[in-house]
Amino acid sequence: MKKVLFQLGTEFHYMVALSLIDKYYSGNDYEIHFIIVSNPNNKSRLSDIKLNEKYKYHKVSYNHNEEKRFQDVIDLKQFIESNDFHHFTSFLYHDPIFVYLTYYFKSKKTTTFLAPDGMGAYVKFTAKNYRSRLVNTLKSYKFFKIHGFKFPKFWFTSWDFGKNGYYDYIYAFSESLPNLPKKNIIAVDYTFSKEQIESLMKTFELDFSNYPELSKVVLVINERHYLPKYESQLLKVIAESLPGNTILFKKHPNQKIENLSYLADTVYTIDSVFPVEILIASLKGGIIISSYSNSMLYHNPNCKYFWTYPIVASSGELKKDIERFNPKSYIEVKQNFEELGIALKACTNE
């Protein structure tokens, strides 16, 4: 029996992991294990999810910024050291345990993979952030020492995707990555069959029957950043350009509902925590808009896709200066609200 290990923390990670399992590890000769990571100061994003009982789960709660000993980490270390693994895949490219395990597994002949955490692979921080990176590095080494991890490597934290760890391959949503040209990349894509959608609906306990009709909608995907001016103007442009369309507004799981008081009563707000890709797959037609959401990488050919990150950047509401890239030809990037409004009006004629 070949043991396969996944490290993840969100419902998006779990959904993509299930897709990878279906593609690469669906046979009876694989035993699937999940390390579900959470912060002890926050509720786990997977705490309300109906996890597939076919797999084994190791729930580990810790915060490497706190100088304390976490028993979950000690238990995880013992579990790792007492087992042999065929493959290890992690979505947590900032996490010190990911960095350690990709080093540890080098001597164990375990093939290691960095999986896509949304759009992280297509983003580059223009600032060097030396201070925050140094602080994180020092705290990570203290974390290693407190928990007995032997880590003799010299590692300096990077906030850019793919720059941490000692993994063998990267899973990506394209064949190449603009900031990581020398890495071994495996292009992955995921399109749900009708049966897979039904299975995911059960996993996340979803029922869209109470939603507005999903054939003529504009789905706005909320971000974790607080962007009231941008989103208020966006909703106004949509209402003026497509007056006959229902607007669905999918709240980001990390966004506080009280921050969205500016939403009009005519906007159908979705507060449930689930991968919005499942809703996108269920749309019978319509338009999807986000500033730069990873969920847009799920392609429903019945829908039009628009990214608006240049508009958000020019609004001044984002705190960090970030370079962003578009890896998909079906997603149109709009530079300003006037350009977006013209494109939305044109959709009514198609």
Side-chain angles (χ1 to χ4, degrees), residues 52-324:
N52 193 315
E53 295 180 353
K54 290 193 302 182
Y55 310 128
K56 301 179 184 297
Y57 300 92
H58 310 270
K59 297 181 180 181
V60 186
S61 182
Y62 59 88
N63 181 353
H64 77 277
N65 293 304
E66 297 180 13
E67 293 185 27
K68 59 182 290 187
R69 187 176 184 269
F70 294 94
Q71 186 59 44
D72 283 358
V73 176
I74 300 297
D75 294 343
L76 175 66
K77 181 175 182 292
Q78 292 174 348
F79 164 70
I80 296 292
E81 292 176 351
S82 60
N83 286 273
D84 294 321
F85 295 95
H86 175 59
H87 285 172
F88 168 64
T89 300
S90 177
F91 293 80
L92 306 181
Y93 63 96
H94 289 159
D95 184 76
I97 289 183
F98 157 71
V99 174
Y100 169 77
L101 287 179
T102 53
Y103 162 75
Y104 171 82
F105 282 135
K106 285 292 184 186
S107 63
K108 303 297 180 180
K109 297 183 180 180
T110 299
T111 306
T112 56
F113 303 81
L114 173 59
D117 181 28
M119 294 307 304
Y122 306 95
V123 168
K124 182 178 180 180
F125 291 93
T126 55
K128 300 300 182 182
N129 299 305
Y130 287 128
R131 185 182 181 281
S132 64
R133 292 166 58 194
L134 176 61
V135 170
N136 187 77
T137 301
L138 294 175
K139 288 183 176 181
S140 296
Y141 273 92
K142 288 181 180 179
F143 178 82
F144 293 148
K145 184 177 180 180
I146 290 171
H147 294 91
F149 292 120
K150 295 180 180 179
F151 187 69
K153 302 286 290 186
F154 175 75
W155 161 65
F156 186 62
T157 298
S158 172
W159 298 133
D160 288 321
F161 178 87
K163 299 294 180 67
N164 298 320
Y166 305 90
Y167 54 87
D168 299 308
Y169 298 95
I170 292 180
Y171 287 125
F173 296 117
S174 57
E175 295 181 354
S176 62
L177 296 174
N179 300 316
L180 298 166
K182 297 181 180 180
K183 296 292 186 178
N184 296 318
I185 296 170
I186 300 174
V188 292
D189 206 346
Y190 57 104
T191 302
F192 303 142
S193 65
K194 182 178 179 181
E195 292 75 18
Q196 287 172 320
I197 293 175
E198 291 176 354
S199 176
L200 287 169
M201 294 281 283
K202 293 178 181 177
T203 296
F204 293 96
E205 298 182 324
L206 297 175
D207 180 6
F208 296 147
S209 62
N210 294 325
Y211 283 32
E213 174 59 40
L214 298 180
S215 61
K216 191 178 181 183
V217 300
V218 180
L219 174 60
V220 177
I221 301 171
N222 177 230
E223 307 294 336
R224 62 185 178 88
H225 303 288
Y226 182 47
L227 306 170
K229 294 180 181 178
Y230 156 74
E231 288 185 333
S232 295
Q233 183 62 26
L234 172 64
L235 295 171
K236 181 181 179 182
V237 170
I238 294 170
E240 292 176 349
S241 304
L242 299 167
N245 288 56
T246 300
I247 300 176
L248 305 180
F249 187 95
K250 175 64 171 68
K251 187 185 81 66
H252 190 279
N254 292 341
Q255 184 65 262
K256 296 179 180 178
I257 191 66
E258 56 265 30
N259 286 344
L260 304 177
S261 59
Y262 53 85
L263 296 180
D265 293 338
T266 54
V267 175
Y268 187 89
T269 304
I270 303 169
D271 191 16
S272 305
V273 177
F274 66 90
V276 71
E277 288 87 347
I278 304 173
L279 175 57
I280 291 173
S282 304
L283 295 179
K284 302 170 186 177
I287 297 165
I288 309 166
I289 303 174
S290 86
S291 66
Y292 198 65
S293 171
N294 55 266
S295 60
M296 306 272 279
L297 296 175
Y298 185 89
H299 187 205
N300 180 339
N302 297 316
C303 299
K304 295 280 290 184
Y305 290 72
F306 297 103
W307 262 336
T308 61
Y309 55 86
I311 305 177
V312 177
S314 63
S315 72
E317 289 187 287
L318 277 180
K319 304 300 182 183
K320 294 180 180 179
D321 191 12
I322 302 173
E323 292 181 3
R324 303 170 187 269

